[in-house]
Amino acid sequence: RAIEYIQFFKEKLPEWIHIYLPDTLGPFEIAHSVYGHNIFYDIYDDPSFIHYLLELCTDVYIQVTERLKKIIGEEKKNCYHGHALSRGIYMRNGGTRISEDSATLISPRHIDKFVIPYDEKALKAFGGGFVHFCGKNDYLLASFLNLNEVRAINLGNPEMYNFDITMQKFIEYRKCYFGLWPKEDNEPLEGYIHRMKRATDGGKRGLILHFDEAMFPEYPCQDILQKWRKIMSC
């Protein structure tokens, strides 16, 4: 069905609108979807089977991603992706993306054993990529930040994290945060932009922020852009 969708939109859309990979799940997330909740028991009771299952899921991830990228007409080690946001990114040093929501539910030692090695293999097959997960798991975030093949990270629930502390981690590990960040209660537009600037070394690195205009409906989009440019350039 994904191939049918890709082929339809390739035929109907102009070339400047880029088609990208669907929500390709990571190996652990695929294994959870296929095997069910027993995976959380068997990482204790039958770890050798879970490793076997994860090897299969990693191979499937790589094969399916290669097939879809071929249909899209995309080079193996670069890609476009929007992650269901209105504006996307282009990566020229990474050709894929991974979602690992279920990994937030397991312990650090199991993240080390059952998540990171397989994500690393999957990402390495495409020269790297970006990862996404919902929920909050500081150890999982740190593990992805520390993984060479991870180029950027999208947090599904950024409101669960302290923006200043989290952005300093991204800068420390030389990674890019790609996504939305909610405003604070009653925060004015100028205050919001200054907060982004302070936490990102003057707005110079570590951030590709998807601005949600709905947070400030009193401003036209062009006014928001002008204020952003003015504050960030000072």
Side-chain angles (χ1 to χ4, degrees), residues 171 196-205 231-234:
I171 292 170
M196 302 297 110
K197 183 176 181 178
R198 285 194 305 270
T200 56
D201 282 3
K204 296 177 181 177
R205 59 184 182 150
I231 292 172
M232 288 297 182
S233 63
C234 292

Side-chain angles (χ1 to χ4, degrees), residues 183 212-220 224:
K183 70 173 183 176
D212 182 2
E213 296 90 344
M215 291 190 297
F216 300 96
E218 66 273 24
Y219 289 98
I224 293 174

